[in-house]
Amino acid sequence: MSITKDTVKKISKLSRIASNEKFEENMIKDLNSILKFVEQLNEVKIENIEPLASTVDQELIKRDDKVNLMNGKKDILSNSPADNENFYVVPKVIE
Amino acid sequence: MSEIYKLTLCQIIEKIKSKEISCEEVTKSFVDRAVKSKKLNCYIENTFDQALTKSKDQDKKLESDKKLFGAPIAVKDLFCTKGVQTTASSKMLEGFKPEYESTVTSKIWNEGANLLGKLNCDEYAMGSSNETSHFGNVINPYKNNKDLVPGGSSGGSASAVAAYLTSATVGTDTGGSIRQPASFTGTVGLKPTYGRCSRWGIVAFASSLDQAGPMTKDVKDSALLLEVIAGHDNKDSTSAQNKVEPFSQNLKKDIKGLKIGIPKEYKIDGISKEILNLWEKGVEVLKSLGCEVKEISLPHTKYALPTYYIIAPAEASSNLARYDGVRYGFRAEGKDLIEMYENTRSLGFGDEVKRRILIGTYVLSSGYYDAYYLKAQKVRRLIKNDFDEAFKKVDTILTPTTPSSAFAIGENIDDPIAMYLNDVLTVPANLAGLPAISIPAGYDQNNLPLGLQLIGKPFDEQTVLNNAFAIEQSINFNSNFKDWWM
């Protein structure tokens, strides 16, 4: 499988990263060399092997269902690029 | 006392306890040196003034029950520090001041250490040379005519420990980001078992692989810092409930009878002759210490790196979705919400980060998930099975840490695969979730440090540390760079 300009456009869109001609040119080369490298895995026999998502071997601990206030709105909003009256401000979404 | 900065973390703490030196003297010693070492570009942000003020207060009331009392410690800029800029070396987070403290760093301050500053790294910990940082590359105190990289991603941390700009530090290791820079700078870097330390408050890269760990001058310091930062945390459901032993007190160099495996598959193409010789030297040392050294096989070793470069970007593409220009960090304007997201992420992330987000998105996308991501997870199982089998026969595994010594700045930056190959010997331990340490073991012909890696059984950091301690005491490595940058 190889990555074309259209693929870069598509995955850039899915990743919410603005794309342009130059970016696509550069990425096609890099992404194809990475894909070629990872495709070595095609040699490996994986029939009947369970996927491994995590090496953690313990039961999840349940927390008590208690409200645990760590930060207030003011703290959290202090890092936002734009906010107003305890809300984040973004470009208009609804016409 | 002159050259306090050359003391180990344990020595500093002992001397403060016995009132041989004051907390202020210690902090001043590191601050003075760090100020004169700006050329190495280790610090993104410093808190020298706060650290000095705190150290003066500490001198008024010694709390000798605290394990790190009076130690000035800078940390990788991937740990959230309350009220102190935390950037992950990305433009995306420039100016971000967390309203909370990571669990690992909280534990360090609770034991009486003071934050000295935030250390440079590769952007979002993605890189093996510290060249992807938005704040410029870090320089290795070791030099070979040209300026050399310190390794990555914890490059600022490694250079800062090696060049005596902090008493010790904590880094993070997703595919080798503690061990490879430790190897390049002649320092000790330990990646604990996955789950040993809480990931809460650490900027996430690949959540099933990320693990914080100590980067120190020697093995004893590593043991001490590990016992401080390890432990279960309710805020990280993957953090382990295993008991944290007093690793530094238990440390012993008698390792007679220990069984050590030498994996034949780690003799990869392209590994330098000098590194193979160093590996052989390690084997001889272990034999002389009464260990039983045997060849073992980890058949899927060659597939670890390709597996990693599917799984890590896949997890990263998901983790980095949170940087949307809305809640924190950088924002670029756009005519609508979607364009604002796209412009923010296009201008806020550097090239390597974008490359990995795109690869990760691709391998998770409809039609490719089974062929790439699911397959990689299955191969990950095989890699872990290899280790499980090997550890039925041996207690630890000895390998080199890296296939080469530190390289020149710019040498590998245009070829992602060449850069990725730096991690070929370190990545398997991350995929299998195993503890692994890199210790300095010698020099190459250009007088650059080389490291040996020891990999252990899950949660058996004590054996790994004892084994490393025994090698350290036998080899007696001494750093030998000159202060050429001052």
Side-chain angles (χ1 to χ4, degrees):
Chain A
M1 281 171 261
S2 77
I3 287 187
T4 61
K5 199 180 229 180
D6 283 342
T7 325
V8 178
K9 275 191 181 139
K10 188 186 157 206
I11 54 178
S12 302
K13 197 83 199 158
L14 288 172
S15 311
R16 297 272 187 256
I17 291 173
S19 173
N20 59 40
E21 196 79 14
K22 188 167 164 267
F23 178 73
E24 285 152 19
E25 290 294 325
N26 288 338
M27 285 296 162
I28 288 173
K29 184 174 144 279
D30 290 348
L31 299 187
N32 275 315
S33 80
I34 297 168
L35 272 196
K36 187 165 165 264
F37 178 70
V38 302
E39 280 170 5
Q40 289 178 67
L41 297 191
N42 292 337
E43 303 161 22
V44 188
K45 288 197 178 72
I46 50 160
E47 289 78 31
N48 304 318
I49 304 293
E50 279 295 303
L52 179 67
S54 163
T55 57
V56 175
D57 187 21
Q58 69 181 13
E59 292 215 359
L60 284 181
I61 303 177
K62 294 189 185 78
R63 278 197 299 260
D64 293 336
D65 189 15
K66 278 194 311 206
V67 176
N68 190 355
L69 254 192
M70 291 171 59
N71 293 103
K73 278 185 193 165
K74 203 167 153 267
D75 287 351
I76 297 295
L77 284 166
S78 68
N79 274 303
S80 82
D83 58 271
N84 191 359
E85 300 283 339
N86 275 344
F87 292 100
Y88 294 113
V89 176
V90 296
K92 201 155 114 183
V93 179
I94 305 164
E95 287 301 327
Chain B
M1 188 180 177
S2 67
E3 299 194 332
I4 291 174
Y5 52 77
K6 283 198 174 172
L7 299 172
T8 67
L9 178 63
C10 290
Q11 287 167 342
I12 287 171
I13 292 158
E14 278 310 311
K15 285 183 192 296
I16 288 175
K17 237 176 236 182
S18 65
K19 297 192 178 170
E20 202 178 316
I21 50 178
S22 72
C23 298
E24 188 185 356
E25 279 176 281
V26 172
T27 307
K28 208 165 169 311
S29 170
F30 284 102
V31 168
D32 285 349
R33 197 169 159 86
V35 167
K36 287 186 223 151
S37 303
K38 288 200 174 122
K39 184 166 178 10
L40 300 183
N41 200 25
C42 293
Y43 281 81
I44 290 178
E45 177 92 336
N46 79 67
T47 52
F48 298 157
D49 290 343
Q50 295 96 309
L52 282 166
T53 307
K54 279 191 183 161
S55 69
K56 281 181 204 168
D57 291 343
Q58 285 182 315
D59 281 327
K60 289 175 201 151
K61 192 175 174 288
L62 290 192
E63 295 175 83
S64 44
D65 55 323
K66 292 193 167 172
K67 287 181 179 172
L68 303 174
F69 190 77
I73 293 184
V75 301
K76 185 179 187 179
D77 203 18
L78 215 64
F79 292 88
C80 285
T81 42
K82 190 173 178 179
V84 178
Q85 176 181 254
T86 300
T87 68
S89 292
S90 180
K91 181 179 176 182
M92 190 62 102
L93 282 173
E94 201 166 1
F96 173 61
K97 287 186 178 172
E99 291 299 326
Y100 46 82
E101 186 78 29
S102 83
T103 299
V104 161
T105 50
S106 299
K107 283 168 172 269
I108 293 173
W109 319 138
N110 286 344
E111 290 294 343
N114 299 320
L115 176 67
L116 204 50
K118 304 298 290 290
L119 299 169
N120 207 339
C121 56
D122 280 295
E123 186 180 5
Y124 286 101
M126 296 177 189
S128 304
S129 65
N130 221 113
E131 291 168 292
T132 72
S133 168
H134 174 59
F135 301 97
N137 57 267
V138 171
I139 297 171
N140 195 323
Y142 286 91
K143 200 176 167 80
N144 178 21
N145 300 321
K146 293 178 196 164
D147 284 347
L148 303 177
V149 303
S153 67
S154 312
S157 298
S159 260
V161 171
Y164 312 118
L165 314 184
T166 177
S167 64
T169 183
V170 279
T172 60
D173 190 316
T174 305
S177 282
I178 286 176
R179 291 160 285 156
Q180 183 253 15
S183 177
F184 277 14
T185 55
T187 54
V188 174
L190 170 65
K191 182 201 91 72
T193 310
Y194 181 82
R196 205 30 136 165
C197 305
S198 168
R199 288 180 296 107
W200 195 82
I202 301 174
V203 176
F205 163 13
S207 302
S208 81
L209 303 163
D210 296 346
Q211 187 59 201
M215 299 176 75
T216 54
K217 290 190 184 105
D218 69 5
V219 175
K220 199 173 170 202
D221 284 359
S222 186
L224 177 67
L225 203 46
L226 179 66
E227 73 189 49
V228 170
I229 64 174
H232 177 70
D233 176 12
N234 275 333
K235 294 189 201 123
D236 174 6
S237 61
T238 62
S239 70
Q241 293 155 65
N242 299 51
K243 189 167 162 273
V244 179
E245 297 132 68
F247 300 111
S248 62
Q249 284 171 43
N250 293 349
L251 201 62
K252 59 171 184 135
K253 62 179 176 185
D254 178 11
I255 54 167
K256 203 163 179 256
L258 203 68
K259 295 194 188 89
I260 290 146
I262 306 298
K264 58 180 184 198
E265 291 84 1
Y266 278 57
K267 286 179 188 133
I268 50 160
D269 294 342
I271 197 165
S272 86
K273 183 90 174 72
E274 289 179 287
I275 287 180
L276 291 174
N277 290 343
L278 180 87
W279 196 4
E280 195 48 49
K281 181 175 130 192
V283 169
E284 293 311 317
V285 166
L286 290 169
K287 282 182 183 163
S288 73
L289 292 168
C291 298
E292 193 186 318
V293 182
K294 51 173 114 179
E295 187 179 89
I296 56 163
S297 176
L298 298 165
H300 295 90
T301 298
K302 75 176 272 210
Y303 302 110
L305 202 58
T307 300
Y308 177 84
Y309 275 99
I310 292 174
I311 290 175
E315 294 186 17
S317 72
S318 170
N319 270 326
L320 271 62
R322 73 191 66 178
Y323 302 101
D324 56 6
V326 175
R327 291 157 298 166
Y328 36 74
F330 174 75
R331 174 190 287 195
E333 297 308 326
K335 66 177 183 327
D336 56 23
L337 186 62
I338 301 289
E339 200 185 278
M340 187 276 278
Y341 291 150
E342 290 181 346
N343 290 344
T344 296
R345 293 165 62 79
S346 170
L347 296 169
F349 292 137
D351 283 345
E352 179 60 19
V353 174
K354 284 191 250 187
R355 214 176 274 138
R356 297 206 196 184
I357 291 175
L358 292 187
I359 277 287
T361 303
Y362 183 74
V363 300
L364 290 174
S365 65
S366 170
Y368 299 101
Y369 182 92
D370 286 2
Y372 292 103
Y373 185 62
L374 197 65
K375 183 178 283 167
Q377 285 192 318
K378 290 181 180 178
V379 181
R380 185 178 183 185
R381 166 86 58 192
L382 294 171
I383 290 162
K384 183 174 179 296
N385 289 350
D386 286 352
F387 279 106
D388 290 347
E389 279 307 307
F391 281 125
K392 286 177 188 164
K393 295 176 218 129
V394 297
D395 301 303
T396 62
I397 294 170
L398 179 78
T399 80
T401 310
T402 55
S404 74
S405 57
F407 47 87
I409 287 163
E411 199 173 308
N412 286 328
I413 198 70
D414 296 327
D415 182 354
I417 300 295
M419 189 64 90
Y420 295 173
L421 284 169
N422 269 289
D423 296 333
V424 66
L425 305 174
T426 47
V427 148
N430 297 81
L431 290 169
L434 302 168
I437 196 169
S438 175
I439 52 167
Y443 288 98
D444 72 1
Q445 56 181 352
N446 298 318
N447 201 31
L448 302 178
L450 300 170
L452 284 175
Q453 174 179 237
L454 286 159
I455 307 172
K457 296 174 185 173
F459 299 102
D460 193 13
E461 280 86 355
Q462 189 70 61
T463 303
V464 172
L465 286 163
N466 289 348
N467 197 342
F469 187 52
I471 296 178
E472 179 185 71
Q473 299 297 309
S474 299
I475 286 183
N476 202 13
F477 175 92
N478 282 304
S479 51
N480 70 357
F481 58 83
K482 301 198 170 56
D483 292 350
W484 54 268
W485 63 88
M486 287 168 93

